[in-house]
Amino acid sequence: MDAIILVGGQGARLRPLTLTRHKSLIPVANRPALDHLLNWLGGHGIERAVLAMGQRQDDLVKAYPEGDRGGLTIAHVVERERLESGGAIRNAVRAAEVEGRFLVLNGDVYVDFDLGAALQAHDEASARLTLALCQVANPSAFGVAVVDGASRITGFVEKPPPGTAPSDLVNAGVWVFEPDLVGEIPPGAVRVEETLFPSLVGRGENVLGYHFEGLWADLGTPGRYLELSRALVKRSGAPLLAGGAVVAEDASVEGTALAADSVVGPGASVTGSVLWEDVRVEARAQVRDSVLADGVTIGAGAVVRGAVLGRGASVAAGARLRPGEIVEPGERRG
């Protein structure tokens, strides 16, 4: 069985992190985000992952070349123009010669649930399309699905205002397609979420909503990315330190993932944050609830809370960043 992974987006909502790194390569628990999806697919017997890419994504091509990856075959399909989800699916099916039932995954999600059970439910329901649905506390930021007693989807509401959502089940970005559906995707650059899916439901077609139990996250914004990292650190029971990461004996690191060769200096504290490669947090500095991209330097005694810093940015000794501040790649503050 094949899986199409939609990785053609530019990651605009994750800027400045994605100004210097493809969104599928941002570190999640000190491994590229795409690693988690590929390992999940391979662990459930998927034979081939077709990466539906945009142009000028050389970093992604280099990190995940075509060929075998531990039993999972990687294939590339490059879009000549922006196709959105529907056009990308149609293009990938044709170019990669996908046959039979297939999966589609958004490339900016983290998923960890029993895919085999979802496929079994799809079979048992004789569904034409199955959408994996995740229960969330605040569905207003997502596409919400309404299901009946048989788990068939009866309607969609896109990003309902707080307190008005008819359901707390959201589209998790993992879909099971029967092959004949490809011909029903409207031509051009269209989103299946706005065209095919509501059309099928409106016509009373058998669209299954598979409500899964497991960890899921949309990595579309720095805030959600940070929430996922903290959840994975909590699940591990200790901070996640990659090879070469150094923490001074009297430094404090809690609820944090430190990528390779990052350094936390004497008396410094880092809490609930994500540090990419080669980050330096100097003596007595404080970092909380922040994302620091590769090569960032936080000067001695500086205080950084609730901030996002792009590659090579720096904060001067003793400086303070207010919550919500964004520091562009290479920019110096303080």
Side-chain angles (χ1 to χ4, degrees):
M1 186 174 180
D2 290 335
I4 297 170
I5 306 180
L6 305 176
V7 291
Q10 301 302 307
R13 294 179 299 157
L14 268 173
R15 292 176 180 169
L17 302 174
T18 49
L19 291 173
T20 55
R21 187 174 299 194
H22 190 280
K23 67 177 181 178
S24 293
L25 300 179
I26 65 172
V28 172
N30 296 327
R31 289 163 43 208
L34 186 56
D35 255 22
H36 296 276
L37 285 182
L38 295 175
N39 289 346
W40 180 71
L41 291 170
H44 285 93
I46 301 303
E47 298 170 340
R48 183 171 65 150
V50 179
L51 305 184
M53 298 191 237
Q55 296 187 33
R56 297 180 298 278
Q57 296 187 341
D58 295 344
D59 52 349
L60 190 58
V61 170
K62 182 178 179 181
Y64 296 95
E66 291 191 300
D68 179 71
R69 181 185 182 274
L72 178 70
T73 299
I74 303 294
H76 296 168
V77 172
V78 180
E79 302 171 1
R80 296 183 178 180
E81 58 185 353
R82 179 71 173 161
L83 295 177
E84 301 295 347
S85 59
I89 293 167
R90 186 193 314 108
N91 185 56
V93 167
R94 181 181 64 250
E97 299 181 346
V98 174
E99 297 180 353
R101 178 184 299 164
F102 61 93
L103 291 174
V104 179
L105 294 86
N106 283 332
D108 58 357
V109 297
Y110 176 97
V111 289
D112 185 10
F113 66 87
D114 187 348
L115 179 58
L119 294 173
Q120 181 178 346
H122 178 87
D123 266 334
E124 292 174 350
S126 298
R128 294 189 71 198
L129 171 71
T130 291
L131 308 186
L133 303 179
C134 181
Q135 188 172 21
V136 300
N138 179 18
S140 62
F142 304 99
V144 174
V146 182
V147 298
D148 64 16
S151 296
R152 287 181 55 165
I153 296 179
T154 59
F156 297 101
V157 180
E158 183 65 22
K159 297 181 180 178
T164 68
S167 162
D168 58 2
L169 297 176
V170 303
N171 180 356
V174 180
W175 314 319
V176 185
F177 270 68
E178 289 300 317
D180 63 307
L181 285 179
V182 177
E184 297 192 31
I185 299 174
V190 298
R191 286 170 48 82
V192 288
E193 303 94 316
E194 299 169 357
T195 56
L196 177 65
F197 295 175
S199 174
L200 291 171
V201 169
R203 288 183 276 133
E205 294 280 0
N206 190 1
V207 178
L208 180 68
Y210 178 74
H211 175 201
F212 65 85
E213 298 290 339
L215 185 58
W216 171 82
D218 168 15
L219 304 179
T221 67
R224 293 177 194 161
Y225 168 49
L226 191 59
E227 286 178 10
L228 171 63
S229 179
R230 288 194 288 234
L232 292 174
V233 172
K234 183 177 180 180
R235 190 163 71 174
S236 75
L240 297 173
L241 275 61
V246 177
V247 178
E249 288 187 7
D250 62 345
S252 171
V253 175
E254 298 179 0
T256 294
L258 273 67
D261 301 320
S262 287
V263 176
V264 179
S269 67
V270 181
T271 306
S273 297
V274 180
L275 277 59
W276 292 13
E277 305 86 0
D278 299 308
V279 170
R280 296 191 63 85
V281 179
E282 297 184 349
R284 303 179 309 285
Q286 300 177 35
V287 176
R288 178 182 291 272
D289 303 332
S290 297
V291 181
L292 312 183
D294 47 314
V296 166
T297 299
I298 307 300
V303 177
V304 175
R305 294 185 178 176
V308 180
L309 283 73
R311 172 184 288 177
S314 61
V315 177
R320 303 177 72 92
L321 294 189
R322 297 185 302 273
E325 287 206 53
I326 304 294
V327 184
E328 299 295 326
E331 183 181 354
R332 179 174 174 80
R333 291 289 182 90

